[in-house]
Each structure stands twice: as C-alpha cells, then as structure tokens.
Amino acid sequence: MTDTHQSSKKSGMAARDGALRLIHAVLSDKYLLDDAYRHEITEGQLRRLNGNDRAFAKRIAITVLQHLGEIDIVLSRFMDRGMPNKSGPLRNILRIGVAELLYLDNPAHAVVDCAVTHYRKWRKYAGFKGLTNAILRRVSKDGAKELASIDPAKANLPDWLYQSWTKTYGLAATNAMMEQFLKPLIPLDLTLKNGDDSAHWAEKLEAEIMPTGNLRMATHDRVDRLAGFDEGAWWVQDAAATLPVKLLGDVTGQDVLDLCAAPGGKTMQLAAKGANVTALDLSTKRLERVQENLDRVGLTATLVTGDVLTHETGKKWPFILLDAPCSATGTIRRHPELIHQRAAQDITHFASLQAKMLNRIANQVAPGGLIVFCTCSLQSEEGPDLISDFLMHNPDFGIEPIEPDEIAGIAPFIQNDGTMRTRPDQWGEKGGMDGFFAMRLRKCE
C-alpha cells in the first residue's frame, strides 16, 4: 500500500469518525447539527482535518439525517433478528455505511472496510465487526432494490408530521416538499445591504437574482471567502425570511421593535432600510452574534436582552416585528435534524407561547401601528390558527391584507385571507425556499 493511499484512507477514516460523532450529538444529545459541527471544528477532532475532509464528514451526517427513516427500513430488511441490545455505535456505523452506499455512491469495498475499522476505537464492541461486514455487503448488493420500494415522505417524516402536512397541504405538496428536503445541495441566498447593487454582485458572485430581489448561489465556497463578505455588502438569509420585514412597508426614519431578533438577518434588513431598530432577544450570547453581524456590514441597532413576555420598553411603537420562537419545521431542508428532534407536543407548546407573545405586544403598539407576526413553521397551529383568538382578545386590531403588487415576487405566496405562506417546494426548480407564515395586524387609530 502506498504512502498516498495510506494517508487518504487515514483522512477518510477520520472524516467518518467525525460523522459518527456528529450523528450521535444530534440524535442522542439533541444538538443542532450546525452547533455540533461548530464544536467539532473548533474544539473537536475535526479541527485537525482539511476543509475537504471536514466537508465529507458533514455531508455524511446530513445524508444520514435526511434519509434516516429510509436507512432504518433498509437495515431492518437485512437484519433478521433486529438490532442487538447493548450494541453501542453499531446502529450509527451501519447507518453511515448505508448512506454512503445508497446515496453517496462511494465504493463498496471502501465503505465496508471503513465501517469495520471503526471498531479499532470501539474495542468493547469489536464482536460486531462480522455483523457489520455481512450487513453492508448485503446492502451493497440488494439495497438499491429495497430502497426503490420505500415511500420517502412516509419513511422519513414522523407519522404526526406526515399526517399534519398531508391534511394541510395535500399529498402532492407533501411529497414535493420532501423532494426538496432530500436534495444533497441547498443553494445559498444572500440579502444585499444595498439592493441597487444586485446586478453588480450577481455578476461578481455568479449568482441569480431571485424574484424577491435576493441573490441565489447554486454552489459556493466558504461563505467568509466569497466576494463582498469582508466589505459587508451582504449577509446570508433565506429568501423567504426576508419577506416579513418587507411587509412593514416604508420604515425609513421610523422606530421599529424587532422581537426575538437573533441571529439578526431581519435586524440588518431593517437597519439597511433606514429604520431606528431596537432588537430584543432572550439570549445575550445570541445578541453578541447579532452585534458581530451588524459590525461586519456597517449597520447599527440598539440591542436589548429581554423576555418578550416580561420586558417593558416604556413606549408605544409604530412598528413591531415578531419573528416568534417556533418548531422551525419550515427550515428542515437546511436543518434535517429537526425531523428527529420535534414531537407533536412541541407544536402545542410553541403555539401557546406565540399566542401569549402576540397578546403581550398588542399593548405596546401605538394607535394606527402595525404588527408583523411570522414563524418559520409549516404547522397551521403556529400561524393561521392563532388569528381568530388574537382578534377576539384584541378587537382594536384587524388583519391588513397583503396585496400582490406591493412587494416584488410575493404574489404566489399570498393566501385568500391576506396572510402569507411560503413552502419549501415553491421555487422547487431553483432549489426551494424555507416555509414561512406571516400576517399583518393593524391597530385602529
């Protein structure tokens, strides 16, 4: 074996070890994948690997999380006696192997060899080497045929979520959303500090100008190495996430209260539009990140640590934006771990919290003032279902319908009641978008 081959195998094995740790952190310790990855590359063993090997580790982890339901069904069909008790890392080692064989098209001999090599570090479980070898060899031979018989949406979504989406959006839309969730590459959306520069930066970044005015890059290098990053010309923000700020209208020179503001994309949008922004968030640490982002793009806002349910601002606001805490089911195409970390009872919790927040801030709106409420959830409980109760408890408010021609690109997302709903399958041919709900509530003069 040549030195080059040995080095390649060693780095490939290290990347797979990193993927194993990432999957464990997400599925067992309930970390968000981005947080687990950030820890790995700053304090964990992935910091010792080059960029390509780090990316390989994360690609494996994402693939496992995207296709976990399908992967587990395939494994069950090749494990006559089921998963052994007290088998430690066996399940996740096999999941990685199936992901590589069926979705990443890596050579079977390399996948099986590396899967067995994991047990050098897990000597307590070395007795499972033979089982691992046998199962993955069977998968490499017949796994694709088994996979073809599995319904991706039913397999990968928990039943409560599958039933919710098919009831709300229909089977075709649910399958279309799942198709976006399973795409191996998610495009990068950028919001420009100065929208008049879109043509310039689109050419420089080889990006597409989207109907909403954002730039979209189908592929990209590290974000901090892209043209315009150091100059603060743009920030990363999904196209759907930019629309709630636009629903506020012209806020130039106006006081705007931005609630639950971190990580700060909407705060920067408001500041770039010339608003006097006060951004409130429960987490001081997350607000520090908002400040870093503001500093990079050369914008200013007043940052306040506080709880929406208890914080007193001491004034009435003409504009309030509430991007409420939610289940974030609309962001699963970028955060596949959420499929495995959310439960039906979480939706009830978030919906209750959102209702409390809405009722709380109603008293902070000036006469004639405007609330824009939004969530990045696809669940009706965290959006449309909140409207009637809010209006019953706050009769001095009414829905201000969104008009198709008031914001570029928004027409396809407007609902019959004047609210906004985006779905991951919209713009599907261009890579989809996050699922968002937003509504405007105007207070009587």
Side-chain angles (χ1 to χ4, degrees), residues 187-197 201 205 207 212-217 220 222-224 226-246 258 261-275 277 289-301 321 323 334:
L188 184 73
D189 288 350
L190 306 177
T191 299
L192 294 172
K193 179 180 175 182
N194 183 351
D196 294 336
D197 294 339
W201 287 110
L205 293 164
T212 51
N214 307 76
L215 300 187
R216 173 161 290 191
M217 301 181 67
H220 60 89
R222 270 179 44 181
V223 169
D224 59 356
L226 296 176
F229 179 86
D230 291 336
E231 299 96 311
W234 48 259
W235 56 89
V236 176
Q237 188 178 24
D238 189 84
T242 68
L243 296 174
V245 166
K246 297 176 182 181
D258 180 14
K266 296 178 181 64
T267 304
M268 289 186 282
Q269 267 188 281
L270 289 165
K273 287 166 70 72
V277 192
R289 191 176 302 174
V290 175
Q291 187 62 61
E292 292 172 1
N293 291 333
L294 287 166
D295 291 343
R296 181 181 68 82
V297 299
L299 294 170
T300 60
L321 173 65
D323 184 1
R334 290 186 292 109

Side-chain angles (χ1 to χ4, degrees), residues 92-364:
N92 286 335
I93 289 173
L94 289 174
R95 285 167 166 168
I96 288 174
V98 175
E100 288 196 69
L101 290 169
L102 299 186
Y103 303 105
L104 299 178
D105 296 324
N106 290 333
H109 64 88
V111 173
V112 175
D113 184 36
C114 286
V116 171
T117 302
H118 277 295
Y119 294 104
R120 291 180 181 174
K121 290 188 176 182
W122 297 89
R123 294 181 180 179
K124 178 181 177 181
Y125 302 100
F128 294 114
K129 287 169 64 175
L131 178 62
T132 299
N133 186 313
I135 295 299
L136 291 182
R137 289 190 182 280
R138 291 181 66 188
V139 171
S140 71
K141 181 181 178 182
D142 299 318
K145 181 173 65 176
E146 295 294 337
L147 183 63
S149 68
I150 298 172
D151 182 324
K154 291 194 76 172
N156 294 310
L157 293 174
D159 186 63
W160 68 268
L161 194 55
Y162 180 80
Q163 297 298 333
S164 169
W165 288 357
T166 53
K167 178 181 178 181
T168 303
Y169 304 109
L171 181 59
T174 299
N175 288 334
M177 289 192 287
M178 178 53 62
E179 184 179 341
Q180 294 302 319
F181 296 150
L182 297 181
K183 285 188 174 180
L185 294 175
I186 301 301
L188 184 73
D189 288 350
L190 306 177
T191 299
L192 294 172
K193 179 180 175 182
N194 183 351
D196 294 336
D197 294 339
S198 57
H200 166 75
W201 287 110
E203 181 179 2
K204 200 169 185 66
L205 293 164
E206 298 182 355
E208 179 180 1
I209 302 175
M210 302 303 285
T212 51
N214 307 76
L215 300 187
R216 173 161 290 191
M217 301 181 67
T219 59
H220 60 89
D221 196 355
R222 270 179 44 181
V223 169
D224 59 356
R225 293 178 178 172
L226 296 176
F229 179 86
D230 291 336
E231 299 96 311
W234 48 259
W235 56 89
V236 176
Q237 188 178 24
D238 189 84
T242 68
L243 296 174
V245 166
K246 297 176 182 181
L247 295 177
L248 289 169
D250 185 5
V251 293
T252 306
Q254 297 289 332
D255 294 338
V256 181
L257 179 61
D258 180 14
L259 299 174
C260 308
K266 296 178 181 64
T267 304
M268 289 186 282
Q269 267 188 281
L270 289 165
K273 287 166 70 72
N276 305 315
V277 192
T278 296
L280 183 139
D281 197 272
L282 189 61
S283 169
T284 300
K285 186 173 182 179
R286 283 166 60 84
L287 282 176
E288 289 173 357
R289 191 176 302 174
V290 175
Q291 187 62 61
E292 292 172 1
N293 291 333
L294 287 166
D295 291 343
R296 181 181 68 82
V297 299
L299 294 170
T300 60
T302 301
L303 307 187
V304 179
T305 302
D307 186 340
V308 173
L309 297 179
T310 58
H311 185 78
E312 296 289 348
T313 63
K315 63 180 291 185
K316 302 290 186 181
W317 296 83
F319 298 95
I320 296 181
L321 173 65
L322 173 58
D323 184 1
C326 70
S327 62
T329 54
T331 70
I332 289 173
R333 64 194 259 279
R334 290 186 292 109
H335 301 290
E337 69 272 23
L338 293 177
I339 293 178
H340 316 294
Q341 295 182 351
R342 292 289 183 250
Q345 57 266 33
D346 293 329
I347 308 305
T348 303
H349 161 74
F350 283 119
S352 175
L353 177 61
Q354 293 153 13
K356 290 176 182 176
M357 286 185 171
L358 269 172
N359 286 315
R360 166 76 179 177
I361 66 173
N363 295 325
Q364 301 179 44

Side-chain angles (χ1 to χ4, degrees), residues 11-12 15 37 46 49-60 221-222 225:
S11 64
Y37 182 71
L46 282 184
L49 301 185
N50 63 38
N52 288 337
D53 289 329
R54 290 178 180 182
F56 181 45
K58 191 173 184 182
R59 180 71 261 156
I60 292 173
D221 196 355
R222 270 179 44 181
R225 293 178 178 172

